[in-house]
Amino acid sequence: MTTGQTISLAILESQIVEFRALHPHLNVELLVTGYIVDMHADKIDQAIRPQAIHEECPGTEVIPLCDVGFAVYGSKNYLAKHGAPDSFDDIADHALVSHDKNALQYFSPLNWAAENLHPKTVPLTTNQVGVMIHAASQDLGLAVLPCFVSEKDDSLVRVIDETDELTLKLAIYVRDDIADKTDAYTFV
């Protein structure tokens, strides 16, 4: 299986433990990368990725998994020093941690933020959502982050709620040559 860093740390660790309890004879191989891989060439059975990449994954069955809400977060310390924005327009008065548009091009909430939010400064651009979370928690600025991870971080506060524009559709991709086989287990 392959997925990105944030999903692997936030969701899959507990799922792998449960899956192994049910199927102790099976070995789970997890390739953590932010890049789209050739599942056939790399012999990867499954992937959890944004649903929008389906055209870049030929020879796979796409199974919608869930919607992931994103919202604007800031650390308690950052907000105490700079105040909290009341709207997307107010982000013009703040620093905003951003994403690498090439590496995270299918993360629609981040792309929407890059096109529609106009921060005072962008102190950091990165290709990993996990780094964005850490940077925001370390008072570097506000960040558009996935709620399922950010809500667990006691140093972060949600300042602008999720909207339809800040929703990412995730899917499970299964190689079509194994999709109908009984030994193709899915543990998510």
Side-chain angles (χ1 to χ4, degrees):
M1 170 169 268
T2 184
T3 193
Q5 176 190 41
T6 305
I7 292 171
S8 69
L9 293 174
I11 297 175
L12 291 184
E13 287 178 341
S14 63
Q15 296 294 327
I16 291 171
V17 170
E18 291 174 23
F19 179 81
R20 291 277 300 140
L22 293 171
H23 307 283
H25 61 286
L26 294 177
N27 177 35
V28 177
E29 294 180 34
L30 179 61
L31 172 64
V32 179
T33 179
Y35 297 101
I36 299 169
V37 296
D38 182 333
M39 292 174 61
H40 289 276
D42 294 333
K43 297 184 173 140
I44 295 171
D45 296 338
Q46 300 174 353
I48 299 176
R49 295 287 183 213
Q51 197 168 326
I53 71 165
H54 64 86
E55 292 177 4
E56 305 226 9
C57 297
T60 60
E61 181 178 324
V62 182
I63 305 164
L65 180 61
C66 64
D67 289 349
V68 177
F70 281 61
V72 179
Y73 290 85
S75 70
K76 293 174 184 173
N77 291 336
Y78 177 88
L79 296 171
K81 186 174 181 180
H82 301 281
D86 292 321
S87 68
F88 289 126
D89 290 338
D90 292 344
I91 290 178
D93 299 327
H94 291 273
L96 183 71
V97 174
S98 190
H99 73 295
D100 179 319
K101 293 175 188 132
N102 294 322
L104 297 171
Q105 64 183 321
Y106 296 103
F107 280 64
S108 52
L110 300 180
N111 293 329
W112 181 89
E115 293 170 11
N116 294 281
L117 304 181
H118 306 288
K120 186 177 188 178
T121 62
V122 178
L124 175 69
T125 301
T126 180
N127 68 339
Q128 290 291 330
V129 173
V131 173
M132 293 174 68
I133 293 168
H134 185 71
S137 73
Q138 296 300 306
D139 314 330
L140 208 53
L142 302 174
V144 176
L145 302 171
C147 300
F148 76 93
V149 179
S150 303
E151 294 294 324
K152 295 177 184 177
D153 189 324
D154 291 336
S155 69
L156 293 175
V157 176
R158 186 189 302 200
V159 293
I160 300 177
D161 281 331
E162 54 191 294
T163 64
D164 288 343
E165 295 86 7
L166 298 180
T167 300
L168 175 68
K169 293 187 177 303
L170 283 182
I172 297 175
Y173 292 78
V174 181
R175 281 195 350 241
D176 56 7
D177 61 325
I178 65 161
D180 294 330
K181 296 190 177 183
T182 57
D183 61 349
Y185 293 93
T186 300
F187 54 82
V188 177

